[in-house]
Amino acid sequence: MDSDLVLLGRLIEAFRGSKALFAAVELGVFDRLADGPATVSELAAGCDEDALERLLDACVGLSLLEKHDGRYSNTRAARTYLLKSARLSLTGYIRFSNDVLFPLWRHLEDAVREGGNRWKQAFGLDGPQFSSVYRTEEAMRDFILGMHGFGLASSPAVVSAFDLSGFRRLVDLGGATGHLAMAAKARYPELKASVLDLPVVIAFAEALPGADTVEFLAGDFFTDSLPEADLYAVGRILHDWGEPEIRSLLAKIHSHLPSGGGLLIAERLLDEDKRGPVSAQLQSLNMLVITEGKERTLSEYKRLLEEAGFRDVQGKRTGSTLDALLCRKP
């Protein structure tokens, strides 16, 4: 078969696989199988049995389930990431993708024509972007838990990208559940690690496992004074905003740092020619429909950082879902 046709066919049908995954999570398929294999009939409560069988078989084809003698069971991927109880659970972000991102992406064409996110068009919501993300307690929980699952997987690689042993106090700005601060503390036990985030986020984060290993501070990094630190971190923060907000935040961080202090950034880096990686390219489109920001190249970040007074800007691919940058105040 023509390779171009195969490529286009996969792209045309890609949303079907995503939606099958979303539906299986929403219906609790993987959680129902946590205790062991089961038949369609045993799983069919609240579902049409024939329709559920089609979904289950599709999940087998997608390598999310296994099937032997008519009984379905979770694959390793499902056990690791698709159970609500799993340490690295991505179910919160999957629910967020289903309930929020999927409707927003329906209006990608208008986002490209007009620029700007699609909250008003998709949900009738207008106002600061995170008031939309946190529009209900359940929506906030799904988003934060989703970021927590990804963060637990990516943060160890981010804090390992550079030697941070010379720093004494880390404050992760907008650090949510503290996954990056926890990873830094685990790698550098002498480091004092704190998280600054909105009060509603902190109240939720403090109840999660491992929260007692770091300090949680309630505040808004845009409007409140920053806690004292010689190393600040921003993970998945800069890509949310346009350049005016980024310049304001970077100037504020720079002014609070002592000489020799550092800023650690966790974001997906685009190639300098922006021809890849595709994950960063698609994430940049995701930022278009949901935020005011975008993904950037190392050179683009370096320009913004040097304008704010930072020097010795370094970037590294981590091999994980987020890359890392480190810079210093002279």
Side-chain angles (χ1 to χ4, degrees):
M1 185 179 294
D2 187 317
S3 60
D4 292 335
L5 181 60
V6 171
L7 170 64
L8 293 173
R10 287 175 179 169
L11 290 174
I12 291 168
E13 297 178 358
F15 79 95
R16 302 181 190 182
S18 297
K19 190 61 183 178
L21 167 62
F22 298 168
V25 168
E26 182 65 27
L27 293 169
V29 166
F30 306 106
D31 288 317
R32 292 188 190 185
L33 290 170
D35 293 329
T39 65
V40 175
S41 298
E42 292 168 338
L43 296 170
C47 297
D48 177 88
E49 190 168 323
D50 176 70
L52 179 61
E53 184 175 25
R54 299 188 211 182
L55 177 61
L56 296 175
D57 287 340
C59 288
V60 172
L62 292 168
S63 300
L64 304 176
L65 294 177
E66 295 176 342
K67 183 180 182 181
H68 300 287
D69 299 324
R71 299 178 71 81
Y72 297 89
S73 60
N74 288 327
T75 61
R76 183 178 64 178
R79 293 191 299 271
T80 305
Y81 299 110
L82 301 181
L83 302 181
K84 290 180 182 178
S85 60
R87 188 181 75 88
L88 300 178
S89 178
L90 300 181
T91 58
Y93 193 72
I94 290 169
R95 286 171 54 86
F96 177 73
S97 297
N98 192 30
D99 297 340
V100 177
L101 296 184
F102 206 75
L104 289 170
W105 272 75
R106 288 187 63 243
H107 303 290
L108 177 61
E109 298 91 339
D110 291 327
V112 172
R113 292 186 187 105
E114 302 169 13
N117 65 63
R118 296 293 101 186
W119 287 102
K120 182 73 171 179
Q121 187 175 13
F123 297 104
L125 298 174
D126 202 2
Q129 61 193 41
F130 280 96
S131 67
S132 299
V133 173
Y134 297 159
R135 67 197 188 283
T136 67
E137 184 174 346
E138 184 178 17
M140 181 194 75
R141 178 182 175 84
D142 284 345
F143 180 77
I144 293 175
L145 282 178
M147 293 298 96
H148 183 65
F150 276 114
L152 287 175
S154 63
S155 289
V158 170
V159 300
S160 301
F162 304 100
D163 181 6
L164 306 179
S165 60
F167 297 105
R168 293 291 172 261
R169 171 97 193 259
L170 163 71
V171 175
D172 187 7
L173 305 177
T177 57
H179 47 78
L180 188 142
M182 293 175 195
K185 181 73 175 175
R187 185 169 179 83
Y188 303 99
E190 301 303 315
L191 184 71
K192 183 177 181 181
S194 304
V195 174
L196 177 75
D197 214 315
L198 299 174
V200 66
V201 177
I202 293 300
F204 176 76
E206 286 180 321
L208 293 175
D212 57 346
T213 63
V214 299
E215 178 186 23
F216 286 92
L217 306 168
D220 185 326
F221 54 72
F222 276 125
T223 60
D224 295 332
S225 181
L226 301 183
E228 182 180 344
D230 64 347
L231 176 64
Y232 290 106
V234 283
R236 294 180 183 265
I237 298 293
L238 299 186
H239 76 164
D240 288 334
W241 304 98
E243 291 199 1
E245 293 83 4
I246 292 175
R247 288 193 178 97
S248 175
L249 179 59
L250 292 180
K252 186 174 185 177
I253 292 172
H254 186 273
S255 69
H256 279 73
L257 278 172
S259 296
L263 172 61
L264 178 66
I265 299 169
E267 296 285 4
R268 297 187 189 188
L269 288 174
L270 284 164
D271 294 340
E272 288 300 321
D273 60 7
K274 298 189 179 180
R275 295 181 63 179
V278 68
S279 61
Q281 294 165 328
L282 293 177
Q283 179 69 348
S284 200
L285 285 178
N286 195 49
M287 293 297 98
L288 173 64
V289 300
I290 194 173
T291 72
E292 301 169 17
K294 62 181 181 180
E295 306 304 317
R296 295 174 171 85
T297 66
L298 176 58
S299 294
E300 288 173 326
Y301 279 120
K302 184 176 181 179
R303 173 178 58 81
L304 289 166
L305 290 162
E306 291 183 342
E307 286 176 358
F310 290 98
R311 295 294 181 267
D312 190 25
V313 181
Q314 304 173 65
K316 285 191 178 180
R317 302 280 188 188
T318 68
S320 186
T321 55
L322 289 178
D323 300 310
L325 296 88
L326 180 68
C327 57
R328 293 178 181 267
K329 178 177 178 176

